[in-house]
Coordinates of all heavy atoms in Angstrom, one line a residue:
M1 N 0.8 -1.2 0.0 CA 0.0 0.0 0.0 C 0.9 1.2 0.0 O 0.6 2.2 -0.7 CB -0.9 0.0 1.2 CG -1.8 1.2 1.4 SD -3.4 0.7 0.8 CE -4.4 1.9 1.5
K2 N 1.9 1.2 0.7 CA 2.8 2.4 0.8 C 3.5 2.7 -0.5 O 3.6 3.8 -0.9 CB 3.9 2.1 1.9 CG 4.5 3.4 2.4 CD 5.4 3.1 3.6 CE 5.8 4.4 4.2 NZ 6.6 4.2 5.3
T3 N 3.8 1.7 -1.3 CA 4.4 1.9 -2.6 C 3.5 2.5 -3.6 O 3.8 3.3 -4.4 CB 5.0 0.6 -3.2 OG1 3.9 -0.4 -3.2 CG2 6.1 0.0 -2.4
T4 N 2.2 2.2 -3.5 CA 1.2 2.8 -4.4 C 1.0 4.2 -4.1 O 1.0 5.1 -5.0 CB -0.2 2.0 -4.2 OG1 0.0 0.7 -4.4 CG2 -1.2 2.6 -5.2
V5 N 1.0 4.6 -2.8 CA 0.9 6.0 -2.4 C 2.2 6.7 -2.8 O 2.1 7.8 -3.3 CB 0.7 6.1 -0.8 CG1 0.9 7.5 -0.4 CG2 -0.6 5.5 -0.4
N6 N 3.4 6.1 -2.6 CA 4.6 6.7 -3.1 C 4.6 7.0 -4.6 O 5.1 8.0 -5.0 CB 5.8 5.9 -2.7 CG 6.1 5.9 -1.2 OD1 5.6 6.8 -0.5 ND2 6.8 4.9 -0.7
K7 N 4.1 6.0 -5.3 CA 4.1 6.2 -6.8 C 3.1 7.3 -7.2 O 3.4 8.1 -8.1 CB 3.6 4.9 -7.5 CG 4.7 3.8 -7.5 CD 4.2 2.6 -8.2 CE 5.2 1.4 -8.1 NZ 4.7 0.2 -8.8
A8 N 2.0 7.4 -6.5 CA 1.0 8.4 -6.8 C 1.6 9.8 -6.4 O 1.5 10.8 -7.2 CB -0.3 8.2 -6.0
V9 N 2.3 9.9 -5.3 CA 3.0 11.1 -4.9 C 4.1 11.5 -5.9 O 4.2 12.7 -6.3 CB 3.6 11.0 -3.5 CG1 4.4 12.2 -3.2 CG2 2.4 10.9 -2.5
D10 N 4.8 10.5 -6.3 CA 5.9 10.8 -7.3 C 5.3 11.3 -8.7 O 5.8 12.2 -9.3 CB 6.7 9.5 -7.6 CG 7.6 9.2 -6.4 OD1 7.9 10.1 -5.6 OD2 8.1 8.1 -6.3
T11 N 4.2 10.6 -9.1 CA 3.6 11.0 -10.3 C 3.0 12.4 -10.2 O 3.2 13.2 -11.1 CB 2.4 10.0 -10.7 OG1 3.0 8.7 -10.8 CG2 1.7 10.4 -12.0
A12 N 2.3 12.7 -9.1 CA 1.8 14.0 -8.9 C 2.9 15.1 -8.9 O 2.8 16.2 -9.4 CB 1.0 14.1 -7.6
S13 N 4.0 14.7 -8.3 CA 5.1 15.7 -8.2 C 5.7 15.9 -9.6 O 6.0 17.1 -9.9 CB 6.2 15.1 -7.3 OG 7.3 15.9 -7.2
E14 N 5.9 14.9 -10.4 CA 6.4 15.0 -11.7 C 5.4 15.9 -12.6 O 5.9 16.8 -13.3 CB 6.5 13.7 -12.4 CG 7.7 12.9 -11.9 CD 7.8 11.5 -12.5 OE1 7.3 11.3 -13.6 OE2 8.4 10.6 -11.9
L15 N 4.1 15.6 -12.5 CA 3.2 16.4 -13.2 C 3.2 17.9 -12.8 O 3.1 18.8 -13.6 CB 1.8 15.8 -13.1 CG 1.5 14.5 -13.7 CD1 0.1 13.9 -13.4 CD2 1.7 14.6 -15.2
T16 N 3.3 18.1 -11.5 CA 3.4 19.5 -11.0 C 4.6 20.2 -11.5 O 4.6 21.4 -12.0 CB 3.4 19.5 -9.5 OG1 2.2 18.8 -9.0 CG2 3.5 20.9 -8.9
H17 N 5.8 19.5 -11.5 CA 7.0 20.1 -12.1 C 6.9 20.4 -13.6 O 7.4 21.4 -14.0 CB 8.2 19.2 -11.8 CG 8.7 19.2 -10.3 ND1 9.2 20.3 -9.7 CD2 8.6 18.2 -9.4 CE1 9.5 20.0 -8.5 NE2 9.1 18.8 -8.2
E18 N 6.3 19.4 -14.3 CA 6.1 19.7 -15.7 C 5.2 20.9 -16.0 O 5.5 21.7 -16.9 CB 5.5 18.4 -16.4 CG 6.5 17.3 -16.5 CD 5.8 16.0 -17.1 OE1 4.7 16.1 -17.6 OE2 6.4 14.9 -17.0
A19 N 4.2 21.0 -15.2 CA 3.2 22.1 -15.4 C 4.0 23.4 -15.1 O 3.8 24.4 -15.8 CB 2.0 21.9 -14.5
A20 N 4.7 23.4 -14.0 CA 5.5 24.6 -13.6 C 6.5 25.0 -14.7 O 6.7 26.2 -15.0 CB 6.2 24.4 -12.3
D21 N 7.2 24.0 -15.2 CA 8.2 24.3 -16.3 C 7.5 24.9 -17.5 O 8.0 25.8 -18.2 CB 8.9 23.0 -16.7 CG 9.9 22.5 -15.6 OD1 10.2 23.3 -14.7 OD2 10.3 21.3 -15.7
K22 N 6.3 24.3 -17.9 CA 5.6 24.8 -19.1 C 5.1 26.3 -18.8 O 5.2 27.1 -19.7 CB 4.4 23.9 -19.4 CG 4.8 22.6 -20.0 CD 3.6 21.8 -20.4 CE 4.0 20.4 -21.0 NZ 2.8 19.6 -21.2
A23 N 4.6 26.5 -17.6 CA 4.2 27.9 -17.3 C 5.4 28.8 -17.3 O 5.2 30.0 -17.8 CB 3.5 27.9 -15.9
T24 N 6.5 28.4 -16.8 CA 7.7 29.2 -16.9 C 8.1 29.5 -18.3 O 8.5 30.7 -18.6 CB 8.9 28.6 -16.1 OG1 8.4 28.4 -14.7 CG2 10.1 29.4 -16.1
D25 N 8.1 28.5 -19.1 CA 8.5 28.7 -20.6 C 7.5 29.7 -21.2 O 8.0 30.6 -22.0 CB 8.4 27.4 -21.3 CG 9.6 26.5 -20.9 OD1 10.6 26.9 -20.3 OD2 9.5 25.2 -21.2
V26 N 6.2 29.5 -21.0 CA 5.3 30.4 -21.6 C 5.4 31.9 -21.1 O 5.4 32.8 -21.9 CB 3.8 29.9 -21.4 CG1 2.8 31.0 -21.7 CG2 3.6 28.6 -22.1
T27 N 5.7 32.0 -19.8 CA 5.9 33.3 -19.3 C 7.2 34.0 -19.8 O 7.1 35.2 -20.2 CB 6.0 33.2 -17.7 OG1 4.8 32.6 -17.2 CG2 6.2 34.6 -17.1
N28 N 8.2 33.2 -20.0 CA 9.5 33.7 -20.5 C 9.3 34.2 -22.0 O 9.8 35.2 -22.4 CB 10.6 32.7 -20.4 CG 11.1 32.6 -19.0 OD1 11.0 33.5 -18.2 ND2 11.7 31.5 -18.7
Q29 N 8.5 33.4 -22.7 CA 8.2 33.7 -24.1 C 7.4 35.0 -24.2 O 7.7 35.9 -25.1 CB 7.5 32.6 -24.8 CG 8.3 31.4 -25.1 CD 7.5 30.2 -25.7 OE1 6.3 30.3 -25.9 NE2 8.1 29.1 -25.9
A30 N 6.4 35.2 -23.3 CA 5.6 36.4 -23.3 C 6.5 37.6 -22.9 O 6.4 38.7 -23.6 CB 4.5 36.2 -22.3
V31 N 7.4 37.4 -22.0 CA 8.3 38.5 -21.6 C 9.2 38.9 -22.8 O 9.4 40.1 -23.0 CB 9.1 38.2 -20.3 CG1 10.2 39.1 -20.1 CG2 8.2 38.1 -19.1
D32 N 9.7 37.9 -23.5 CA 10.6 38.2 -24.6 C 9.8 39.0 -25.7 O 10.3 39.9 -26.3 CB 11.2 36.9 -25.2 CG 12.2 36.3 -24.3 OD1 12.7 37.0 -23.3 OD2 12.5 35.1 -24.4
K33 N 8.6 38.5 -26.0 CA 7.8 39.2 -27.0 C 7.5 40.6 -26.6 O 7.5 41.5 -27.4 CB 6.5 38.4 -27.2 CG 6.6 37.2 -28.1 CD 6.7 37.6 -29.5 CE 6.6 36.4 -30.4 NZ 7.0 36.7 -31.8
L34 N 7.1 40.8 -25.3 CA 6.8 42.2 -24.9 C 8.0 43.1 -24.9 O 7.9 44.2 -25.3 CB 6.2 42.1 -23.5 CG 4.8 41.6 -23.3 CD1 4.4 41.4 -21.9 CD2 3.8 42.5 -24.0
S35 N 9.1 42.5 -24.6 CA 10.4 43.3 -24.7 C 10.7 43.7 -26.1 O 11.0 44.9 -26.4 CB 11.5 42.5 -24.1 OG 12.7 43.2 -24.2
E36 N 10.5 42.8 -27.0 CA 10.8 43.0 -28.4 C 9.8 44.1 -28.9 O 10.2 45.0 -29.6 CB 10.6 41.7 -29.2 CG 10.8 41.9 -30.7 CD 10.6 40.6 -31.4 OE1 10.9 39.5 -30.9 OE2 10.1 40.6 -32.6
K37 N 8.5 44.0 -28.6 CA 7.5 45.0 -29.0 C 7.8 46.3 -28.4 O 7.6 47.4 -29.1 CB 6.1 44.5 -28.7 CG 5.6 43.3 -29.4 CD 5.6 43.6 -30.9 CE 5.1 42.4 -31.7 NZ 5.2 42.6 -33.1
G38 N 8.3 46.4 -27.2 CA 8.6 47.6 -26.5 C 9.8 48.3 -27.3 O 9.7 49.5 -27.5
K39 N 10.8 47.5 -27.7 CA 11.9 48.1 -28.4 C 11.4 48.6 -29.8 O 11.8 49.7 -30.2 CB 13.0 47.1 -28.6 CG 13.7 46.7 -27.4 CD 14.7 45.6 -27.6 CE 15.4 45.2 -26.3 NZ 16.3 44.0 -26.5
Q40 N 10.5 47.9 -30.4 CA 10.0 48.4 -31.7 C 9.2 49.7 -31.6 O 9.3 50.6 -32.4 CB 9.1 47.3 -32.3 CG 9.8 46.1 -32.8 CD 8.9 45.0 -33.3 OE1 7.6 45.1 -33.2 NE2 9.4 43.9 -33.9
L41 N 8.4 49.7 -30.5 CA 7.6 51.0 -30.3 C 8.5 52.1 -30.0 O 8.3 53.3 -30.4 CB 6.6 50.8 -29.1 CG 5.4 49.9 -29.4 CD1 4.6 49.6 -28.2 CD2 4.5 50.6 -30.5
K42 N 9.6 51.9 -29.2 CA 10.5 52.9 -28.9 C 11.2 53.5 -30.2 O 11.4 54.7 -30.4 CB 11.6 52.4 -27.9 CG 12.4 53.5 -27.3 CD 13.3 53.0 -26.2 CE 13.9 54.1 -25.5 NZ 14.6 53.7 -24.3
N43 N 11.6 52.5 -31.1 CA 12.2 52.9 -32.4 C 11.2 53.8 -33.2 O 11.6 54.7 -33.8 CB 12.6 51.7 -33.1 CG 13.8 51.0 -32.5 OD1 14.6 51.7 -31.8 ND2 14.0 49.8 -32.8
V44 N 9.9 53.3 -33.3 CA 8.9 54.1 -34.0 C 8.8 55.5 -33.4 O 8.7 56.5 -34.2 CB 7.6 53.3 -34.0 CG1 6.5 54.2 -34.6 CG2 7.7 52.0 -34.9
E45 N 8.7 55.5 -32.1 CA 8.5 56.8 -31.4 C 9.7 57.8 -31.8 O 9.5 58.9 -32.1 CB 8.4 56.7 -29.9 CG 8.2 57.9 -29.2 CD 9.1 58.1 -28.0 OE1 9.8 57.2 -27.6 OE2 9.1 59.2 -27.5
Q46 N 10.9 57.3 -31.7 CA 12.1 58.1 -32.0 C 12.1 58.5 -33.5 O 12.4 59.7 -33.8 CB 13.4 57.3 -31.8 CG 13.6 57.1 -30.3 CD 14.8 56.2 -30.0 OE1 15.3 55.5 -30.9 NE2 15.3 56.2 -28.8
R47 N 11.7 57.7 -34.4 CA 11.6 58.0 -35.8 C 10.6 59.1 -36.0 O 10.8 60.1 -36.7 CB 11.3 56.8 -36.7 CG 11.3 57.0 -38.2 CD 11.0 55.8 -38.9 NE 9.9 55.0 -38.5 CZ 8.7 55.1 -38.9 NH1 8.4 56.0 -39.9 NH2 7.7 54.4 -38.4
L48 N 9.4 58.9 -35.4 CA 8.3 59.9 -35.6 C 8.7 61.3 -35.0 O 8.5 62.3 -35.5 CB 7.0 59.4 -35.0 CG 6.3 58.3 -35.7 CD1 5.1 57.8 -34.9 CD2 5.8 58.8 -37.1
R49 N 9.4 61.2 -33.8 CA 9.8 62.5 -33.2 C 10.8 63.2 -34.1 O 10.7 64.4 -34.2 CB 10.5 62.2 -31.8 CG 10.8 63.4 -31.1 CD 11.5 63.2 -29.8 NE 10.9 62.2 -29.0 CZ 11.5 61.4 -28.1 NH1 12.8 61.5 -28.0 NH2 10.9 60.5 -27.4
N50 N 11.7 62.5 -34.7 CA 12.7 63.1 -35.6 C 12.0 63.7 -36.8 O 12.3 64.8 -37.3 CB 13.7 62.1 -36.1 CG 14.7 61.7 -34.9 OD1 14.8 62.4 -34.0 ND2 15.3 60.5 -35.1
E51 N 11.0 63.0 -37.4 CA 10.3 63.5 -38.6 C 9.5 64.7 -38.2 O 9.5 65.7 -39.0 CB 9.4 62.4 -39.1 CG 10.1 61.3 -39.8 CD 9.2 60.1 -40.3 OE1 7.9 60.3 -40.3 OE2 9.7 59.1 -40.7
Y52 N 8.8 64.7 -37.1 CA 8.0 65.9 -36.7 C 8.9 67.0 -36.3 O 8.6 68.2 -36.6 CB 7.1 65.5 -35.5 CG 5.9 64.6 -35.9 CD1 5.6 63.5 -35.2 CD2 5.1 65.0 -37.0 CE1 4.6 62.7 -35.6 CE2 4.1 64.2 -37.4 CZ 3.8 63.0 -36.7 OH 2.8 62.2 -37.1
S53 N 10.0 66.8 -35.7 CA 11.0 67.9 -35.4 C 11.4 68.5 -36.7 O 11.5 69.8 -36.8 CB 12.1 67.4 -34.6 OG 11.7 66.9 -33.3
E54 N 11.7 67.7 -37.7 CA 12.2 68.2 -39.0 C 11.1 69.0 -39.6 O 11.3 70.1 -40.2 CB 12.6 67.1 -39.9 CG 13.2 67.5 -41.2 CD 13.7 66.3 -42.0 OE1 14.2 65.3 -41.4 OE2 13.5 66.4 -43.2
Y55 N 9.8 68.5 -39.6 CA 8.7 69.2 -40.2 C 8.5 70.6 -39.5 O 8.3 71.6 -40.1 CB 7.4 68.4 -40.1 CG 6.2 69.1 -40.7 CD1 6.0 69.1 -42.0 CD2 5.4 69.8 -39.8 CE1 4.9 69.7 -42.6 CE2 4.3 70.5 -40.4 CZ 4.1 70.5 -41.7 OH 3.0 71.1 -42.3
I56 N 8.6 70.6 -38.2 CA 8.4 71.9 -37.4 C 9.5 72.9 -37.7 O 9.2 74.0 -37.9 CB 8.4 71.6 -35.9 CG1 7.1 70.8 -35.6 CG2 8.5 72.8 -35.1 CD1 7.0 70.2 -34.2
R57 N 10.7 72.4 -37.9 CA 11.8 73.3 -38.3 C 11.6 73.9 -39.7 O 11.9 75.0 -39.9 CB 13.2 72.5 -38.2 CG 14.0 72.7 -37.0 CD 15.4 72.2 -37.1 NE 15.4 70.8 -37.5 CZ 15.4 69.7 -36.7 NH1 15.2 70.0 -35.4 NH2 15.4 68.5 -37.1
D58 N 11.1 73.0 -40.6 CA 10.9 73.5 -42.0 C 9.7 74.3 -42.1 O 9.6 75.1 -43.1 CB 10.9 72.3 -42.9 CG 12.2 71.5 -43.0 OD1 13.2 72.1 -42.6 OD2 12.1 70.3 -43.5
N59 N 8.7 74.1 -41.3 CA 7.4 74.8 -41.4 C 6.9 75.4 -40.1 O 5.9 75.0 -39.5 CB 6.3 73.9 -41.9 CG 6.7 73.2 -43.2 OD1 6.8 73.9 -44.2 ND2 7.0 71.9 -43.2
P60 N 7.7 76.4 -39.5 CA 7.3 76.9 -38.2 C 5.9 77.5 -38.1 O 5.2 77.3 -37.1 CB 8.4 77.8 -37.9 CG 9.0 78.2 -39.2 CD 8.8 77.1 -40.1
L61 N 5.6 78.3 -39.1 CA 4.3 79.0 -39.0 C 3.1 78.0 -39.1 O 2.1 78.1 -38.4 CB 4.2 80.1 -40.1 CG 5.1 81.3 -39.9 CD1 5.0 82.3 -41.0 CD2 4.8 82.0 -38.6
T62 N 3.2 77.1 -40.0 CA 2.2 76.0 -40.2 C 2.1 75.3 -38.9 O 1.0 74.9 -38.4 CB 2.5 75.1 -41.3 OG1 2.7 75.9 -42.5 CG2 1.5 74.1 -41.5
S63 N 3.2 74.9 -38.3 CA 3.2 74.2 -37.0 C 2.5 74.9 -35.9 O 1.7 74.4 -35.1 CB 4.6 73.8 -36.6 OG 5.3 73.1 -37.6
V64 N 2.8 76.2 -35.8 CA 2.1 77.0 -34.8 C 0.6 77.1 -35.1 O -0.2 77.0 -34.1 CB 2.7 78.5 -34.7 CG1 1.9 79.4 -33.9 CG2 4.1 78.4 -34.2
G65 N 0.2 77.3 -36.3 CA -1.2 77.3 -36.7 C -1.9 76.0 -36.3 O -3.0 76.0 -35.8
I66 N -1.2 74.9 -36.6 CA -1.8 73.5 -36.3 C -2.0 73.4 -34.7 O -3.0 73.0 -34.2 CB -1.0 72.4 -36.8 CG1 -1.1 72.4 -38.4 CG2 -1.4 71.1 -36.3 CD1 -0.1 71.5 -39.0
A67 N -0.9 73.8 -34.0 CA -1.0 73.7 -32.5 C -2.1 74.6 -32.0 O -2.8 74.2 -31.1 CB 0.4 74.1 -31.9
M68 N -2.3 75.8 -32.5 CA -3.3 76.7 -32.1 C -4.7 76.1 -32.4 O -5.6 76.1 -31.6 CB -3.2 78.1 -32.7 CG -2.0 78.8 -32.1 SD -1.8 80.4 -33.0 CE -3.3 81.3 -32.6
G69 N -4.9 75.5 -33.6 CA -6.1 74.9 -33.9 C -6.5 73.7 -33.1 O -7.6 73.6 -32.6
V70 N -5.5 72.9 -32.8 CA -5.7 71.7 -31.9 C -6.1 72.2 -30.5 O -7.0 71.7 -29.9 CB -4.5 70.8 -31.9 CG1 -4.6 69.7 -30.9 CG2 -4.4 70.1 -33.3
G71 N -5.4 73.2 -30.0 CA -5.6 73.7 -28.7 C -7.0 74.3 -28.6 O -7.8 74.1 -27.6
F72 N -7.5 75.0 -29.7 CA -8.8 75.6 -29.7 C -9.9 74.5 -29.7 O -10.8 74.5 -28.9 CB -9.0 76.5 -31.0 CG -10.3 77.0 -31.1 CD1 -10.8 78.1 -30.3 CD2 -11.2 76.5 -32.0 CE1 -12.0 78.6 -30.5 CE2 -12.5 77.0 -32.2 CZ -12.9 78.1 -31.4
L73 N -9.7 73.5 -30.5 CA -10.6 72.3 -30.5 C -10.7 71.6 -29.2 O -11.8 71.3 -28.7 CB -10.3 71.4 -31.7 CG -10.5 71.9 -33.1 CD1 -10.0 70.9 -34.1 CD2 -12.0 72.2 -33.3
L74 N -9.6 71.4 -28.6 CA -9.5 70.7 -27.3 C -10.2 71.5 -26.2 O -11.0 71.0 -25.4 CB -8.1 70.4 -26.9 CG -7.4 69.2 -27.6 CD1 -6.0 69.1 -27.2 CD2 -8.2 67.9 -27.3
S75 N -10.0 72.8 -26.3 CA -10.7 73.7 -25.2 C -12.2 73.7 -25.4 O -12.9 73.7 -24.5 CB -10.1 75.1 -25.3 OG -10.6 75.8 -26.5
K76 N -12.6 73.7 -26.7 CA -14.1 73.6 -26.9 C -14.7 72.3 -26.5 O -15.7 72.2 -25.9 CB -14.4 73.8 -28.4 CG -14.2 75.2 -28.9 CD -15.2 76.1 -28.1 CE -15.0 77.6 -28.6 NZ -15.8 78.5 -27.8
L77 N -14.0 71.2 -26.8 CA -14.5 69.9 -26.4 C -14.5 69.7 -24.9 O -15.4 69.1 -24.3 CB -13.6 68.8 -27.0 CG -13.7 68.6 -28.5 CD1 -12.7 67.6 -29.0 CD2 -15.1 68.0 -28.8
L78 N -13.5 70.2 -24.2 CA -13.4 70.0 -22.8 C -14.2 71.0 -22.0 O -14.7 70.6 -20.9 CB -11.9 70.1 -22.3 CG -11.0 69.0 -22.9 CD1 -9.5 69.3 -22.5 CD2 -11.4 67.6 -22.5
S79 N -14.5 72.1 -22.6 CA -15.4 73.1 -21.8 C -16.9 72.7 -21.9 O -17.6 73.2 -21.1 CB -15.1 74.5 -22.4 OG -15.6 74.6 -23.7
N80 N -17.3 71.9 -22.9 CA -18.7 71.5 -23.0 C -19.0 70.4 -22.0 O -20.2 70.1 -21.8 CB -19.0 71.0 -24.4 CG -19.0 72.2 -25.4 OD1 -19.2 73.3 -25.0 ND2 -18.8 71.9 -26.7
R81 N -18.1 69.8 -21.4 CA -18.4 68.7 -20.4 C -18.6 69.2 -19.1 O -18.4 69.8 -18.3 CB -17.2 67.7 -20.5 CG -17.2 67.0 -21.8 CD -16.2 66.0 -21.8 NE -16.3 65.3 -23.1 CZ -15.9 64.1 -23.3 NH1 -15.3 63.4 -22.4 NH2 -16.0 63.5 -24.5

C-alpha cells in the first residue's frame, strides 16, 4: 500500500514540475515578445519624433497654426463637459 501511495505522490510531483516548467516557458516567451515589441515601439517613437521635429523646423508658422487649432478644438471639447 505504501508503494502505491509513493508512486502516486511521485507521479503528482512530476506532473506538477512539468506544469510549472511549461508555465515558466510560456511566461518567458511572453516577456521576450513584450520586450521586443517595446523596443519596436521605442524605435517608431524616435523616428516619428525626428520626422516631426524636422517638419516643425521646416514649417514653423504652419506648425504654430496647427498647434493653435488643436488647442482651440480641445478647449471647446473639454469646456462643454
Side-chain angles (χ1 to χ4, degrees):
M1 178 100 158
K2 198 170 189 179
T3 56
T4 305
V5 171
N6 287 340
K7 286 180 183 179
V9 169
D10 288 343
T11 302
S13 177
E14 286 176 25
L15 291 174
T16 302
H17 286 293
E18 287 176 16
D21 289 343
K22 286 180 183 178
T24 300
D25 289 344
V26 169
T27 302
N28 287 335
Q29 289 174 1
V31 167
D32 291 343
K33 281 281 188 192
L34 287 173
S35 176
E36 181 182 325
K37 292 297 178 185
K39 289 176 186 176
Q40 289 175 354
L41 285 173
K42 192 170 188 172
N43 289 338
V44 167
E45 183 228 351
Q46 289 173 346
R47 184 177 49 92
L48 288 173
R49 187 182 313 148
N50 291 339
E51 289 177 10
Y52 288 130
S53 294
E54 185 178 323
Y55 179 83
I56 291 168
R57 264 191 303 277
D58 293 343
N59 305 293
L61 293 178
T62 304
S63 300
V64 170
I66 291 170
M68 289 174 63
V70 169
F72 177 76
L73 290 174
L74 285 175
S75 71
K76 289 296 180 186
L77 288 172
L78 295 176
S79 67
N80 288 337
R81 291 183 175 202

